[in-house]
Amino acid sequence: MNKITSNIRNYSFGLILLSCMGGMSCTREADIDMTDTDGVVFSANIGQASRRGDNSWTGGELIGMQVGESVKTYRISDAASGAMVTDDEPYTWTSGEYQLHAWSPYTDKSISLTNQSDAEKMFACDLLECNTTVNAKSVQLTFKHKMTRVWYELQQFPGYTDEEANNAVISYYGHSSIKYTEGIIDKEGEPNSEILPRKIDDRHGEAILVPGEMWNKPFIKVVIGGDTYVYTPKHTVATDEERQTGVLKEGYNQRYYLKVSKKGIEVSMESSSVGWNNETVDGVTDGKYKAEIPSNLNNPQITGVENGIITGADNSFSISYTENGNGGLLYEGNCDVQRTTDGTSHTYTFSKIASDIKVSYTSEYLKVGKYYYSNGTFGDEAVKEGCETVGLVYKLGASVNDYDTDKISNYSGSELKSITGYVVSLTSSTNKFSWAQGDNLETEFASFENSDDEEKSEGTMYKGYIYTKAIETALINAAEKSPFWTAFKNLIKTLPTPEGTSGWYIPSVAQLQDIANSEIATTINFTDSYYSSNIYHVNVTEGMDNPHGANANDHSYVLRYNVGDKSISADYPSDANGKLIVILTF
């Protein structure tokens, strides 16, 4: 799961939470100089926490203190030490012990929650409480949080641009105001007021809300690209119930991950009862991200991770292991991933990390039907955050048939080092077109005459990459005469091309047949008639076979594969009978 991406330090809230978890007593003695009176010297624990974001009090904060029916007002007199003084008669101690209840802020006014657009306004909504036993003349108070800290990340936004996502406006719904008298939260009104959070960066923000349940109530609002979506957690939704997205827990830090598309809004949530006091806004302890590495890897070699903390230079790490099957690594988090293979050795390099990273191993990392992403990884999601979808795997392993074995030498000039499988694009040309303007491309295709590769007119081999390069060479001076080539160039210029692959090319007839026979054909609606890269020239005067009759003139032809009736035909250049789809080898 992705975490926060900003590198700005977090403003921790209040006084440390850890000492008060699970019980009401939270006292400890401190070495503070005593006066000659019996007045108890109080101080607020500031060693690991802060109230205003700079690991210290600002000074002057009011704290209510109650023993029995007696209520006194103390204030922070020294921001560095957290020392407290009072203008009232101070509480005293001589022997025995008594219970003290403390809270901050000490005010009888309503505290507005609707505008938390900057740090100061948000921190003003933080409520603290401590119940402790006084059994010495020196007492250091440790407070716990009474409110719920909520944080959001706009993680996925299929159908919207990065610019629209960066300009999205996200807000919460909750109580507009509260009163906090004697350390008790008094809610004002219903939890239906819109609350503007503090925006951390383009896709992250946070706010402080009143604990309670938001089931069947509007909770998170997203305005993006002129559209508005509102998330309402419901008991009847299994993921909401499982993750308790509708419950705001006292003292918890709850992180909401948002996916917005034209279909609506989806929300997941993680929460922790600790973490207000020692985190940065990028969600890491001491400025470091965490990496969770699977334990079931074969001969793993891990660099840049120590004791679960990412320590690599430039915030990166790598995992290498031996893979004898079709397994691989999946990950959750905000980062770039580069996957390389050398025989059975697989290496994943994680860089540009902006969240905690969770890595897992799957034995079916590679199989027909997996989506291939621009970062070199595979998965089951048509849209994956942090990368582009390249296409679908339609075949694994180098093609081997009675006529042809695909080999790495077929991809001369590309970045491909080995053949793992083949990917087909999710998009194709929308209309049928002719592959040339007029019939007179003999000059441009002269290199096809008397070719020793008769496969161009037979269509049985996996040579789409070689043929595509040959077409490019033949049309070097006449590309504008070929709608076929123009359609190809227009199709691939917007498609992502992962490093280390062949790059996009026009499939041969044999490759089109394998796409049609694969289980992904229905996914990409592969049902029409498609041009192949099997283009050849017939010179009748030299006695070459001519599929259009012995009396026909010299012509260049393209083989077209009809998915419906599984037929192969040879078209004249001017025939507008085919569409175009592209593939790559990885």
Side-chain angles (χ1 to χ4, degrees):
M1 185 67 64
N2 285 352
K3 303 291 167 66
I4 288 212
T5 58
S6 173
N7 290 320
I8 305 170
R9 294 294 300 179
N10 182 31
Y11 293 88
S12 302
F13 305 131
L15 300 169
I16 72 168
L17 173 64
L18 301 178
S19 300
C20 292
M21 296 303 299
M24 299 301 287
S25 178
C26 54
T27 184
R28 60 192 176 104
E29 294 187 5
D31 295 329
I32 300 177
D33 292 338
M34 299 299 297
T35 65
D36 293 334
T37 69
D38 291 330
V40 179
V41 176
F42 292 103
S43 66
N45 191 324
I46 62 168
Q48 301 177 41
S50 70
R51 174 68 175 170
R52 297 301 178 195
D54 55 359
N55 290 325
S56 68
W57 295 87
T58 59
E61 290 88 349
L62 295 181
I63 297 175
M65 310 270 272
Q66 183 175 16
V67 176
E69 299 298 322
S70 170
V71 177
K72 301 179 185 294
T73 304
Y74 281 70
R75 70 178 182 277
I76 299 295
S77 60
D78 182 75
S81 68
M84 301 165 58
V85 297
T86 181
D87 295 328
D88 296 328
E89 187 71 24
Y91 288 118
T92 61
W93 179 85
T94 54
S95 62
E97 60 183 37
Y98 57 84
Q99 297 300 308
L100 181 140
H101 177 215
W103 66 93
S104 179
Y106 180 72
T107 178
D108 60 355
K109 299 181 182 299
S110 291
I111 300 172
S112 176
L113 306 176
T114 55
N115 184 0
Q116 301 183 36
S117 56
D118 58 40
E120 182 176 359
K121 292 173 182 176
M122 186 178 72
F123 300 145
C125 303
D126 184 25
L127 309 181
L128 308 173
E129 181 185 40
C130 180
N131 289 276
T132 188
T133 300
V134 177
N135 55 12
K137 287 188 177 181
S138 174
V139 176
Q140 192 168 45
L141 304 179
T142 302
F143 287 75
K144 67 178 182 180
H145 299 284
K146 296 287 288 182
M147 298 284 274
T148 305
R149 174 186 175 186
V150 293
W151 167 96
Y152 71 79
E153 176 180 314
L154 180 55
Q155 192 176 65
Q156 298 182 51
F157 40 90
Y160 295 98
T161 65
D162 286 343
E163 182 179 4
E164 287 173 325
N166 293 342
N167 292 322
V169 177
I170 300 173
S171 56
Y172 291 96
Y173 288 99
H175 290 279
S176 62
S177 62
I178 55 172
K179 284 193 172 182
Y180 191 49
T181 55
E182 297 184 358
I184 299 174
I185 297 175
D186 183 13
K187 305 172 184 177
E188 297 183 331
E190 295 296 321
N192 55 10
S193 296
E194 191 168 350
I195 295 174
L196 180 64
R198 179 175 83 100
K199 194 168 185 178
I200 298 169
D201 60 26
D202 285 337
R203 300 179 194 173
H204 304 87
E206 60 184 343
I208 296 176
L209 304 181
V210 181
E213 295 193 357
M214 294 298 292
W215 296 117
N216 299 316
K217 298 182 180 71
F219 180 39
I220 301 174
K221 177 182 176 182
V222 179
V223 180
I224 179 172
D227 300 325
T228 299
Y229 303 92
V230 176
Y231 170 66
T232 300
K234 297 180 180 179
H235 276 301
T236 54
V237 177
T239 52
D240 289 359
E241 179 68 25
E242 177 186 353
R243 293 170 174 150
Q244 290 291 285
T245 55
V247 179
L248 297 172
K249 298 180 180 180
E250 178 182 310
Y252 271 62
N253 178 6
Q254 300 184 188
R255 301 181 167 209
Y256 291 86
Y257 301 92
L258 315 180
K259 176 181 178 181
V260 176
S261 70
K262 296 293 184 177
K263 296 180 180 179
I265 181 171
E266 299 176 24
V267 175
S268 61
M269 187 267 284
E270 294 178 349
S271 66
S272 173
S273 59
V274 296
W276 281 40
N277 59 301
N278 63 352
E279 291 191 339
T280 67
V281 293
D282 32 38
V284 297
T285 302
D286 299 328
K288 297 293 184 181
Y289 292 112
K290 301 174 185 177
E292 183 177 332
I293 310 295
S295 59
N296 57 342
L297 299 180
N298 187 13
N299 299 323
Q301 297 182 15
I302 302 168
T303 60
V305 177
E306 296 180 8
N307 299 318
I309 302 298
I310 300 171
T311 60
D314 299 323
N315 217 23
S316 64
F317 70 97
S318 67
I319 302 173
S320 297
Y321 76 100
T322 301
E323 175 57 58
N324 296 314
N326 289 325
L329 301 184
L330 305 177
Y331 73 97
E332 297 178 5
N334 195 338
C335 64
D336 285 350
V337 181
Q338 181 64 46
R339 175 182 180 270
T340 58
T341 61
D342 183 9
T344 59
S345 178
H346 290 206
T347 300
Y348 293 75
T349 302
F350 297 78
S351 61
K352 296 182 181 179
I353 296 168
S355 73
D356 289 352
I357 305 298
K358 180 179 180 181
V359 183
S360 59
Y361 175 81
T362 174
S363 60
E364 291 189 338
Y365 180 77
L366 277 179
K367 68 176 183 179
V368 172
K370 287 282 187 179
Y371 288 95
Y372 187 33
Y373 306 117
S374 57
N375 60 10
T377 62
F378 299 80
D380 296 317
E381 301 172 341
V383 178
K384 187 174 182 180
E385 173 69 13
C387 56
E388 295 181 80
T389 302
V390 175
L392 277 169
V393 177
Y394 77 87
K395 184 179 179 66
L396 284 175
S399 173
V400 178
N401 57 39
D402 294 339
Y403 303 94
D404 173 54
T405 298
D406 198 9
K407 45 190 176 293
I408 194 63
S409 60
N410 289 343
Y411 298 91
S412 176
S414 76
E415 297 178 356
L416 193 67
K417 304 302 181 184
S418 61
I419 300 174
T420 303
Y422 307 87
V423 167
V424 60
S425 170
L426 298 177
T427 59
S428 62
S429 61
T430 56
N431 299 312
K432 294 180 180 180
F433 51 84
S434 61
W435 68 273
Q437 293 176 337
D439 296 344
N440 299 315
L441 283 182
E442 284 78 8
T443 301
E444 288 75 19
F445 280 87
S447 59
F448 288 82
E449 288 189 33
N450 299 318
S451 170
D452 57 3
D453 185 1
E454 295 182 1
E455 154 64 12
K456 290 177 181 176
S457 62
E458 294 174 356
T460 58
M461 298 183 183
Y462 248 63
K463 291 189 175 181
Y465 181 84
I466 294 175
Y467 296 159
T468 300
K469 291 300 179 182
I471 296 168
E472 183 175 31
T473 300
L475 287 177
I476 191 167
N477 296 317
E480 73 280 357
K481 296 181 181 180
S482 176
F484 174 85
W485 191 251
T486 300
F488 169 66
K489 299 300 287 186
N490 286 338
L491 195 58
I492 66 172
K493 73 180 178 182
T494 58
L495 297 179
T497 306
E499 296 179 6
T501 67
S502 66
W504 295 105
Y505 59 91
I506 303 163
S508 64
V509 168
Q511 291 169 316
L512 288 170
Q513 289 172 320
D514 276 354
I515 297 171
N517 293 330
S518 72
E519 63 188 62
I520 60 91
T522 55
T523 304
I524 62 172
N525 193 29
F526 193 65
T527 58
D528 218 315
S529 187
Y530 295 86
Y531 287 130
S532 71
S533 52
N534 292 72
I535 294 179
Y536 62 99
H537 182 78
V538 172
N539 189 327
V540 175
T541 60
E542 294 187 9
M544 294 188 68
D545 291 337
N546 189 333
H548 292 279
N551 296 322
N553 295 324
D554 292 0
H555 277 297
S556 295
Y557 299 97
V558 58
L559 293 189
R560 175 171 51 86
Y561 181 70
N562 189 308
V563 178
D565 60 20
K566 299 185 178 180
S567 64
I568 303 172
S569 58
D571 280 352
Y572 283 106
S574 58
D575 293 340
N577 289 327
K579 293 184 177 181
L580 191 65
I581 199 165
V582 294
I583 64 175
L584 61 74
T585 308
F586 66 93

